[in-house]
Amino acid sequence: MLGSPVEVPDEGPAKKRRGRPAKVDHFHEEPGTDHFLKIIFKPTFDRVMIPKAFVKWFGEIPSNIIVTTNTGCSWRMTTRREGDDAFIDQGWTTFAVAHQFKVGQFVTFRKVSSLEYSVVIFDHTCAEVVRRCPYHGDDTMCVVSEHNV
């Protein structure tokens, strides 16, 4: 039956309750947020605000980070604090222009390590954008390490 809970034998506490199988869910190893999303609302890309809940969960955000796209482009960026707010600052404008951001697109960020974030860009139809930047492989702009090529 489509949409009904699934009982998985020999996996976890899938016990029957009132004649129905227990629902099987997914679990995170650590509680808390490790993703955030930004929607492109206007054509100015000077910086991007990191959500307060994300900053609160992880505490201190390092001043230098590496942002890696789904196509293997890695970009160095800086972050800046202004009171309770945190922003991805230097490097963001060039990244946005190189990846041809348009109003209506959105970008997801996932924290991979304290210094590295994985980024996926989606277009206005919610489809993943798979396009290398024009600087791919240029060490002065797009820093591509061997594991990304």
Side-chain angles (χ1 to χ4, degrees):
M1 177 189 234
L2 186 61
S4 64
V6 177
E7 185 173 353
V8 180
D10 301 327
E11 281 191 29
K15 299 177 183 175
K16 289 188 177 190
R17 294 187 182 112
R18 296 186 189 150
R20 294 179 298 181
K23 292 183 181 178
V24 177
D25 294 321
H26 74 282
F27 299 94
H28 294 278
E29 291 180 19
E30 296 180 21
T33 178
D34 64 351
H35 285 79
F36 67 92
L37 175 136
K38 293 314 266 184
I39 301 171
I40 308 301
F41 286 117
K42 56 185 179 178
T44 56
F45 309 113
D46 57 342
R47 64 185 183 172
V48 64
M49 185 174 187
I50 303 170
K52 289 181 183 182
F54 189 86
V55 175
K56 182 179 177 183
W57 175 254
F58 284 107
E60 193 58 37
I61 303 287
S63 60
N64 293 297
I65 61 171
I66 294 180
V67 172
T68 304
T69 68
N70 55 334
T71 61
C73 298
S74 296
W75 291 70
R76 290 185 187 106
M77 297 185 193
T78 63
T79 63
R80 184 166 39 112
R81 293 293 295 249
E82 292 179 4
D84 291 338
D85 297 329
F87 299 91
I88 297 175
D89 196 13
Q90 292 180 339
W92 177 253
T93 301
T94 308
F95 177 82
V97 170
H99 289 88
Q100 302 172 9
F101 283 2
K102 295 176 180 64
V103 173
Q105 289 185 320
F106 56 98
V107 183
T108 62
F109 292 80
R110 181 178 62 87
K111 184 173 177 148
V112 176
S113 70
S114 62
L115 299 174
E116 188 175 358
Y117 291 81
S118 174
V119 170
V120 180
I121 304 164
F122 294 88
D123 67 15
H124 68 283
T125 69
C126 300
E128 183 176 356
V129 175
V130 183
R131 175 182 344 135
R132 286 188 174 189
C133 72
Y135 304 108
H136 192 79
D138 179 351
D139 290 342
T140 61
M141 298 293 279
C142 173
V143 182
V144 180
S145 59
E146 289 180 20
H147 74 277
N148 292 74
V149 178

